[in-house]
């Protein structure tokens, strides 16, 4: 039986290489991530792999584990039939994510990794062809650079070609949040190639332009771009470009000044409904222990590969379920809560929790070229189990999504589910319904149970908070 | 209280002077370089050239400053070692 070879839908911009995913021959087998290289790209990789800085970055975990496959590898041979001369194998990252799902500190750490790699590359006669944030992925809460094909030899005089992309994808969104408190995530979701300076300038008026880094990296580039666009518009002829030579001191100096700037950017965690959840939840300690024990009971029976904790808050249950699971994807719509989870988890070198910010009533869609370049959240990697604790009342009453639709979506994941239903008598539901005209009469335990049984088999259930809530362990039908 | 207001005023004055200097520097470079490029994307070459020039001053200063610092420290350490012998 042959393995299934799929060209990655997001890997087509660089003509020198292409990513392929090799789907396992049997269920439960491991997928392989391979990169076809052109003749030139292969020669560059062979030179790069001898460089000490590159090997150090690999062993430090800054670059995804990579090896050159022998020409007799069965999967490599099938890729080479597409015209590639060499094939690299990369260690697959647990779960592909995009910058519009990262918190401020995640984007900041990703930016610092990108800058660290470009600086060490330049110091050793190499550069990176681009500076897109999509080249950074995560292993737990640790960023890792995945685009080995981006390394290219650098000679004195060459500018840093990734500067504009770095500013659009990393620096500008970071400055928008740090300086103005603007949520950078919806902007990054829309501008999938980064926020251009000509748009970013509109957010900075008056004295806001004096904030750190704004004049140099937003106002000045925007003025230059606007002035060029103005001069070249309509039928004005294109003018000849004369490349300006840039010394090593200029290029490395710029990278270092950006590193200092990014390091100084900060965003305070504000107190929200969720950011203090571990202290302010509505449970008595004994009740909370019952809920923890239920989750532990059903997550510790077998070792699972992927658990999603949707509506994770500060990650109490992500940690419990992560003890018997390879990877936990913890998602919440509240930026500050996820930020707090990330800041705690990044201190733990063994953490297997990847925190993500996402409104669960509006998950990341498939977008980019032909709608496939960036995958929808629920189309990436199927979870084995989904934790969905005290979320459903928000889905129903805040987002106005009927329980049936939510359960249908959950069942489409073909995963086991641990779901906590918050009943009408619970004080949190009472709070939600206060001042609401629509009272969601269909929202009750009996109806929910009946609807859940259409898609799932109830394996176990337990009342919580004296019957105000009920926790279920469900298996898909 | 008075001191902090004074410091704030001085720091704003310093900021203003620095910004004015940056504008003057960019005006010196901008016209001659800008005419050589066509599309908005190539604007980043102009930007990196000018920002790179400014950054290079700091980079070179820091490089020699640390070299000098190491030299002085090295000399001091050597002298201390000789003294202790």
């Amino acid at each position: 039986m042959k393995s299934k070879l799929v060209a990655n839908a997001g890997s087509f911009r660089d003509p020198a290489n292409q990513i392929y995913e090799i789907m396992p021959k049997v269920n439960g087998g491991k997928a392989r991530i391979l990169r076809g290289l052109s003749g030139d790209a292969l020669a560059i990789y062979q030179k790069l792999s001898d460089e000490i800085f590159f090997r150090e970055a690999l062993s430090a975990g800054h670059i995804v584990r990579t090896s050159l496959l022998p020409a007799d590898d069965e999967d490599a041979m099938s890729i080479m039939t597409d015209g590639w001369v060499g094939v690299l194998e990369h260690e697959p990252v647990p779960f592909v994510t995009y910058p519009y799902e990262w918190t401020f500190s995640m984007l900041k750490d990703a930016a610092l990794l990108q800058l660290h790699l470009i600086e060490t590359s330049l110091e050793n006669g190499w550069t990176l062809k681009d500076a897109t944030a999509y080249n950074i992925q995560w292993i737990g809460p640790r960023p890792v650079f995945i685009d080995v094909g981006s390394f290219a030899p650098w000679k004195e005089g060459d500018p840093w070609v990734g500067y504009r992309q770095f500013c659009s994808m990393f620096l500008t969104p970071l400055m928008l949040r740090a300086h103005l408190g603007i949520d950078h995530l919806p902007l990054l979701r829309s501008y999938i190639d980064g926020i251009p300076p000509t748009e970013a300038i509109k957010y900075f008026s008056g004295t806001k332009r004096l904030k750190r880094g704004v004049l140099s990296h937003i106002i000045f580039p925007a003025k230059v771009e606007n002035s060029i666009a103005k001069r070249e518009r309509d039928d004005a002829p294109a003018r000849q470009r004369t490349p300006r030579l840039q010394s090593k001191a200029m290029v490395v100096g710029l990278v270092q000044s950006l590193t200092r700037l990014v390091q100084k950017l900060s965003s305070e965690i504000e107190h929200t409904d969720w950011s203090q959840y571990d202290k302010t939840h509505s449970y008595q300690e004994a009740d909370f222990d019952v809920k923890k024990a239920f989750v532990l009971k059903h997550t510790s029976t077998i070792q699972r590969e992927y658990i999603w904790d949707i509506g994770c808050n500060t990650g109490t249950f992500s940690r419990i379920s992560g003890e018997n699971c390879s990877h936990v994807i913890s998602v919440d719509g509240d930026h500050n809560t996820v930020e707090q989870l990330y800041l705690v988890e990044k201190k733990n070198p063994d953490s297997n929790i990847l925190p993500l910010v996402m409104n669960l009533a509006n998950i990341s869609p498939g977008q980019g070229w032909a709608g496939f370049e960036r995958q929808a959240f629920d189309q990436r990697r199927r979870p084995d189990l989904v934790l969905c604790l005290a979320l459903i009342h928000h889905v129903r009453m805040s987002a106005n999504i009927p329980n049936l639709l939510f359960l249908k979506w959950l069942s489409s994941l073909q995963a086991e589910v641990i779901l906590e239903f918050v009943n009408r008598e619970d004080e949190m539901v009472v709070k939600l319904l206060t001042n609401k005209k629509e009272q969601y009469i269909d929202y009750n335990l009996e109806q929910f149970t009946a609807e859940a049984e259409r898609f799932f088999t109830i394996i176990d259930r337990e009342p919580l908070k004296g019957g105000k809530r009920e926790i279920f362990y469900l298996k898909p039908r | 209280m008075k001191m902090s207001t004074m410091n704030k005023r001085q720091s704003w004055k310093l900021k203003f002077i620095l910004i004015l200097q940056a504008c003057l520097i960019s005006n010196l470079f901008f016209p001659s370089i800008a005419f050589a490029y066509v599309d908005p994307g190539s604007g980043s070459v102009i930007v990196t050239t000018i920002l790179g020039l400014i950054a290079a001053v700091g980079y070179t200063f820091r490089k020699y400053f640390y070299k000098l610092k190491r030299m002085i420290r090295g000399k001091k350490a050597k002298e201390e070692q000789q003294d202790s012998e």
Side-chain angles (χ1 to χ4, degrees):
Chain A
M1 199 201 296
K2 269 203 147 189
S3 345
K4 198 177 156 205
L5 185 80
V6 183
N8 183 287
S11 167
F12 55 83
R13 291 188 195 268
D14 186 350
N17 57 83
Q18 158 91 54
I19 290 287
Y20 291 85
E21 286 161 58
I22 313 291
M23 299 307 171
K25 289 176 189 174
V26 285
N27 280 347
K30 289 245 172 198
R32 295 178 86 187
I33 302 293
L34 306 185
R35 182 188 294 269
L37 299 175
S38 67
D40 286 347
L42 176 63
I44 287 172
Y45 176 75
Q46 281 165 332
K47 216 175 130 196
L48 177 70
S49 59
D50 289 336
E51 293 281 354
I52 294 169
F53 88 92
F54 180 73
R55 284 198 236 150
E56 281 176 352
L58 272 175
S59 58
H62 294 153
I63 299 174
V64 71
R65 268 187 226 154
T66 300
S67 57
L68 186 62
L69 284 183
D72 60 354
D73 182 281
E74 195 188 318
D75 292 328
M77 281 197 293
S78 50
I79 285 176
M80 287 199 269
T81 56
D82 276 359
W84 302 109
V85 178
V87 178
L88 297 179
E89 175 158 20
H90 299 301
E91 184 186 36
V93 292
F95 192 81
V96 172
T97 65
Y98 303 124
Y100 43 86
E101 297 160 353
W102 306 344
T103 67
F104 175 85
S105 295
M106 290 174 82
L107 188 65
K108 180 176 168 177
D109 288 345
L112 290 172
L113 174 62
Q114 180 81 41
L115 288 168
H116 170 72
L117 289 175
I118 181 74
E119 187 183 341
T120 48
S121 300
L122 288 164
E123 296 282 11
N124 290 282
W126 287 81
T127 188
L128 291 169
K129 284 192 253 180
D130 54 11
T132 167
Y134 298 100
N135 283 347
I136 308 281
Q137 289 298 325
W138 299 82
I139 297 176
R142 294 165 294 280
V144 61
F145 184 81
I146 57 161
D147 189 12
V148 174
S150 180
F151 284 93
W154 179 79
K155 59 179 191 305
E156 184 115 13
D158 288 348
W160 173 29
V161 288
Y163 167 78
R164 185 181 184 278
Q165 199 172 32
F166 177 83
C167 291
S168 301
M169 296 228 69
F170 292 103
L171 187 61
T172 300
L174 287 172
M175 289 205 283
L176 283 172
R177 188 178 277 272
H179 293 332
L180 307 178
I182 287 173
D183 186 0
H184 63 289
L185 298 174
L187 287 169
L188 276 179
R189 197 198 261 196
S190 294
Y191 292 106
I192 64 165
D193 291 323
I195 307 159
T198 46
E199 279 306 305
I201 192 173
K202 295 169 188 166
Y203 292 92
F204 292 93
S205 58
T207 52
K208 288 173 191 159
R209 294 186 173 197
L210 304 180
K211 301 256 184 193
R212 184 175 280 142
V214 176
L215 265 181
S216 314
H217 303 291
I218 291 180
I219 308 299
F220 178 45
K223 294 272 183 202
V224 171
E225 284 190 18
N226 280 336
S227 125
I228 290 172
K230 204 171 161 188
R231 217 173 25 245
E232 302 299 326
R233 73 181 165 206
D234 302 331
D235 55 353
R239 293 181 186 178
Q240 188 66 43
R241 285 189 220 184
T242 318
R244 302 275 151 174
L245 293 182
Q246 298 195 5
S247 69
K248 188 174 173 182
M250 286 165 73
V251 184
V252 179
L254 180 59
V255 174
Q256 287 182 346
S257 73
L258 281 169
T259 305
R260 286 191 297 275
L261 172 60
V262 172
Q263 278 167 342
K264 282 175 192 156
L265 292 174
S266 64
S267 168
E268 274 178 31
I269 298 178
E270 288 157 23
H271 183 124
T272 65
D273 274 355
W274 311 111
S275 61
Q276 308 290 317
Y277 181 79
D278 47 352
K279 295 180 198 104
T280 61
H281 58 72
S282 66
Y283 276 93
Q284 296 292 324
E285 215 45 58
D287 278 330
F288 205 52
D289 287 344
V290 174
K291 181 172 162 181
K292 282 181 184 171
F294 188 92
V295 172
L296 185 64
K297 182 167 91 180
H298 293 295
T299 53
S300 59
T301 44
I302 49 164
Q303 176 75 22
R304 291 180 178 86
E305 189 85 6
Y306 286 86
I307 290 182
W308 286 6
D309 182 2
I310 56 173
C312 65
N313 293 317
T314 41
T316 308
F317 294 93
S318 297
R319 289 186 193 102
I320 291 173
S321 57
E323 284 171 22
N324 294 289
C325 169
S326 306
H327 311 286
V328 182
I329 315 300
S330 303
V331 186
D332 203 286
D334 187 285
H335 173 273
N336 291 339
T337 307
V338 183
E339 174 81 325
Q340 204 161 308
L341 174 60
Y342 172 70
L343 292 174
V344 172
E345 288 306 310
K346 71 178 259 193
K347 288 182 196 150
N348 173 6
D350 301 318
S351 174
N352 57 356
I353 295 175
L354 169 56
L356 297 175
V357 190
M358 206 182 301
N359 175 0
L360 289 155
N362 181 20
I363 56 167
S364 301
Q367 55 176 357
W369 167 245
F372 288 113
E373 193 180 354
R374 308 290 166 221
Q375 284 180 296
F377 173 67
D378 56 357
Q379 301 297 314
R380 293 177 210 166
R381 176 64 170 81
R382 200 181 65 76
D384 301 301
L385 184 140
V386 181
L387 287 181
C388 179
L389 305 174
L391 173 73
I392 195 157
H393 57 307
H394 291 290
V395 174
R396 182 71 192 104
M397 293 167 202
S398 307
N400 269 315
I401 293 162
N403 285 349
L404 198 68
L405 284 186
F406 182 64
L407 287 163
K408 195 176 170 189
W409 175 75
L410 268 183
S411 76
S412 73
L413 301 170
Q414 281 297 300
E416 300 165 88
V417 174
I418 296 178
L419 188 147
E420 180 186 8
F421 184 82
V422 184
N423 216 345
R424 299 186 72 82
E425 298 77 37
D426 189 277
E427 54 272 31
M428 303 317 282
V429 173
V430 172
K431 192 175 174 184
L432 267 178
L433 288 175
T434 309
N435 302 320
K436 271 215 175 223
K437 203 174 172 190
E438 170 63 59
Q439 286 295 299
Y440 305 94
I441 300 303
D442 61 335
Y443 184 87
N444 57 65
L445 184 62
E446 292 69 38
Q447 189 150 341
F448 169 78
T449 312
E451 286 170 340
E453 283 184 315
R454 283 178 62 179
F455 303 100
F456 298 95
T457 307
I458 298 172
I459 305 294
D460 192 8
R461 60 194 285 180
E462 199 165 333
L464 300 168
K465 285 177 78 176
K468 287 181 186 172
R469 297 184 178 200
E470 187 124 347
I471 191 163
F472 295 83
Y473 172 46
L474 310 167
K475 279 196 175 177
R477 284 193 184 274
Chain B
M1 195 70 169
K2 264 187 182 174
M3 274 296 280
S4 73
T5 326
M6 281 276 281
N7 286 341
K8 263 188 186 170
R9 266 191 204 158
Q10 277 174 344
S11 107
W12 272 106
K13 211 173 166 186
L14 190 69
K15 259 190 184 172
F16 179 72
I17 293 167
L18 283 171
I19 290 158
L20 198 69
Q21 278 177 346
C23 292
L24 285 173
I25 291 169
S26 58
N27 277 337
L28 277 175
F29 287 104
F30 179 67
S32 59
I33 300 168
F35 283 114
Y37 300 92
V38 285
D39 60 296
S42 65
S44 64
V45 179
I46 300 166
V47 175
T48 50
T49 306
I50 292 165
L51 295 181
L53 278 169
I54 299 165
V57 176
Y59 174 82
T60 314
F61 172 77
R62 267 190 304 278
K63 198 172 150 185
Y64 287 105
F65 175 75
Y66 289 125
K67 236 181 204 174
L68 194 73
K69 206 172 159 186
R70 266 201 304 274
M71 258 170 60
I72 295 166
R73 272 196 180 166
K75 240 184 195 177
K76 259 192 184 172
K78 241 184 192 176
E79 279 169 9
E80 274 167 18
Q81 207 181 353
Q82 279 170 352
D83 285 349
S84 67
E85 278 169 8

